[in-house]
Amino acid sequence: MLTLRTLNLRNNDLGKVLAKGGYKRYGTIKLQNVDLSKNGIHSLLFIVFEGHSYLETLNLSDNVLSDFSPDVSFMVRLKVLDLSKNKIKYFSQLSTMQNISRIAKQTHLKIDLSHNILECSCPSLVFLRWMFDNQELFYNKDSYKCKSDNGTIIVLSRLQNTVSVLQKSCASYTVLTIGISVLVVAVILILVGGLLYRYRWRLRYAYYMTRSKYKSDKLVNTEMTYAYNAFISYSEEEKDFVINECIPNLEEHEHLRLCIHQRDFIPGEEISQNITNGIHNSNKTICIITRSFLDSYYCMFEFNMARMESIYSREGHNILFLVFYEQILPRELPLIMLELVQHQSYIEYPDDLQGNVVFWNKIKEAIE
């Protein structure tokens, strides 16, 4: 094998063998002419011609190759590459085309692709453009034919015109593909965004409950003991009402335990985490409803976290109780808050002596 110059393996049915391996050991050999025609070859390993640095003629005609993509970088002396009478559509590997162009500059390589029905499509455009740029490499190039996507057979005698038309068609196809892709991505993002928005409070509640290492098997029951009788949710403008009236009437007179954010939140902990923990550790959540409350991000956060606590940790039992500290029209309320009002889970602050007695008794009943 080391001194062999010509190897004729024509008509030996080596297709299956060459699809799995080569016909020689690794290392450089001095073969100059190799004939592998009429062997039913349908594919070739990338390394099948490794070490063929002396090869001048390679005959792969009369096979069933649909592509030609082995490593030809070793074939620095190659002069003839016969790929006629195959089923080659195009060369799929850019590296193969680049290596052939490089070798051709040194050896004036000629390629025979006659009696192959090439493919005129967007995937083959790079190959056809390469053929046009290297027309001197091909035998009888004017007789080559290609098949378009609609099944039309085109004679490549006017290769430049064929490439030009295909480029315009593929450009439109690319724009259409990009447009459809962008539209699909946009629809998916809108759907995902819509779902995230719809379930935003559920997701946030689950996140903060997970962070506080709340275990789902701790289900609520009537015997559960809470750290606080009520979590008081209020805006900064109602601080005096909470300090001067809520604490004296409920904590000092009724001996109830209230969770007041200015007093009971853990320093250094995130506000959102403090809120979620405070609500979870309280039997009820009392919201002091004012216009300032409705405009406050954290007040509405507390309201919605209490809703999620009712649904997902208290077996659907409502823990929210609304105290309207000022007159607010129904149209000014969020829909979910208006629903609670319609179910009478609220009380109005009377601001008179007799009404105050009833008011604080109602609050006590709600949170005990």
Side-chain angles (χ1 to χ4, degrees):
M1 194 74 171
L2 293 176
T3 59
L4 190 64
R5 296 293 182 269
T6 298
L7 179 63
N8 188 342
L9 294 174
R10 179 186 181 88
N11 199 17
N12 275 288
D13 196 21
L14 297 175
K16 293 181 180 179
V17 175
L18 292 176
K20 298 178 180 179
Y23 52 83
K24 72 172 192 67
R25 294 181 179 179
Y26 291 105
T28 301
I29 59 174
K30 294 186 178 181
L31 280 173
Q32 294 177 349
N33 306 287
V34 174
D35 188 346
L36 294 171
S37 60
K38 293 187 177 181
N39 273 286
I41 301 171
H42 56 85
S43 64
L44 293 167
L45 289 181
F46 181 73
I47 61 171
V48 68
F49 297 120
E50 184 178 310
H52 286 62
S53 56
Y54 290 88
L55 192 63
E56 295 182 1
T57 302
L58 177 60
N59 187 353
L60 289 166
S61 63
D62 274 304
N63 284 294
V64 287
L65 290 167
S66 59
D67 188 11
F68 181 73
S69 57
D71 185 7
V72 296
S73 60
F74 301 92
M75 303 180 188
V76 293
R77 293 178 172 85
L78 189 63
K79 295 179 180 179
V80 176
L81 175 59
D82 191 349
L83 295 170
S84 62
K85 298 180 182 178
N86 275 277
K87 295 184 178 181
I88 291 177
K89 297 179 179 181
Y90 58 92
F91 293 177
S92 61
Q93 298 299 316
L94 180 60
S95 60
T96 301
M97 292 179 268
Q98 291 172 336
N99 284 326
I100 289 174
S101 297
R102 176 178 55 80
I103 294 168
K105 291 179 181 179
Q106 305 297 325
T107 66
H108 304 292
L109 169 65
K110 292 295 181 180
I111 303 172
D112 190 353
L113 282 174
S114 59
H115 302 288
N116 285 281
I117 302 299
L118 304 176
E119 186 176 291
C120 283
S121 64
C122 295
S124 68
L125 180 58
V126 172
F127 170 70
L128 294 175
R129 192 185 295 123
W130 173 74
M131 278 188 63
F132 174 71
D133 293 337
N134 297 273
Q135 295 184 58
E136 70 281 358
L137 302 184
F138 299 95
Y139 282 121
N140 302 318
K141 62 180 182 299
D142 291 339
S143 67
Y144 293 177
K145 298 177 182 179
C146 74
K147 188 176 183 180
S148 63
D149 288 335
N150 61 12
T152 304
I153 302 298
I154 303 170
V155 178
L156 295 179
S157 55
R158 299 178 63 187
L159 183 57
Q160 181 178 10
N161 183 60
T162 302
V163 170
S164 179
V165 171
L166 195 57
Q167 280 180 323
K168 293 178 181 178
S169 174
C170 292
S172 301
Y173 176 78
T174 302
V175 171
L176 180 61
T177 302
I178 293 173
I180 292 175
S181 300
V182 170
L183 180 61
V184 169
V185 171
V187 170
I188 292 173
L189 289 175
I190 290 171
L191 288 175
V192 172
L195 289 172
L196 289 175
Y197 181 78
R198 179 177 180 179
Y199 297 107
R200 65 195 185 280
W201 294 114
R202 181 187 300 184
L203 293 171
R204 296 179 78 173
Y205 176 77
Y207 168 72
Y208 288 113
M209 282 294 95
T210 302
R211 285 195 57 181
S212 63
K213 298 180 180 179
Y214 172 67
K215 297 181 180 179
S216 60
D217 59 335
K218 293 182 179 179
L219 298 176
V220 66
N221 58 68
T222 54
E223 303 299 324
M224 180 176 286
T225 302
Y226 295 96
Y228 304 98
N229 294 99
F231 177 91
I232 308 298
S233 175
Y234 60 95
S235 67
E236 192 65 23
E237 284 79 355
E238 280 63 63
K239 180 175 64 175
D240 290 342
F241 169 71
V242 172
I243 294 173
N244 298 328
E245 297 197 45
C246 289
I247 291 177
N249 281 287
L250 297 176
E251 285 197 332
E252 296 174 8
H253 295 166
E254 302 296 342
H255 306 292
L256 299 173
R257 183 85 168 94
L258 305 179
C259 182
I260 310 296
H261 73 258
Q262 290 174 321
R263 181 188 68 188
D264 298 308
F265 278 6
I266 299 173
E269 184 68 86
E270 287 185 20
I271 295 177
S272 301
Q273 190 67 60
N274 266 317
I275 291 170
T276 309
N277 291 341
I279 291 172
H280 183 64
N281 292 321
S282 301
N283 184 38
K284 296 286 183 177
T285 296
I286 306 298
C287 296
I288 312 301
I289 306 298
T290 61
R291 288 179 177 81
S292 299
F293 182 99
L294 299 177
D295 293 335
S296 168
Y297 169 81
Y298 281 112
C299 288
M300 293 307 297
F301 180 85
E302 291 166 349
F303 171 78
N304 282 292
M305 287 298 101
R307 283 200 308 116
M308 296 302 104
E309 175 77 14
S310 298
I311 297 170
Y312 299 109
S313 293
R314 307 292 178 95
E315 296 181 333
H317 297 297
N318 180 40
I319 66 167
L320 269 167
F321 192 78
L322 309 183
V323 174
F324 282 84
Y325 190 62
E326 60 186 33
Q327 293 293 322
I328 299 178
L329 297 175
R331 65 171 179 268
E332 298 179 73
L333 298 175
L335 289 177
I336 193 66
M337 189 176 289
L338 186 60
E339 183 180 336
L340 281 175
V341 171
Q342 291 171 346
H343 284 82
Q344 298 182 341
S345 296
Y346 77 99
I347 190 171
E348 294 180 351
Y349 181 68
D351 200 20
D352 65 74
L353 184 59
Q354 184 176 358
N356 275 356
V357 174
V358 176
F359 172 80
W360 292 113
N361 285 334
K362 289 289 185 182
I363 296 291
K364 178 187 175 184
E365 291 175 8
I367 64 179
E368 276 188 331

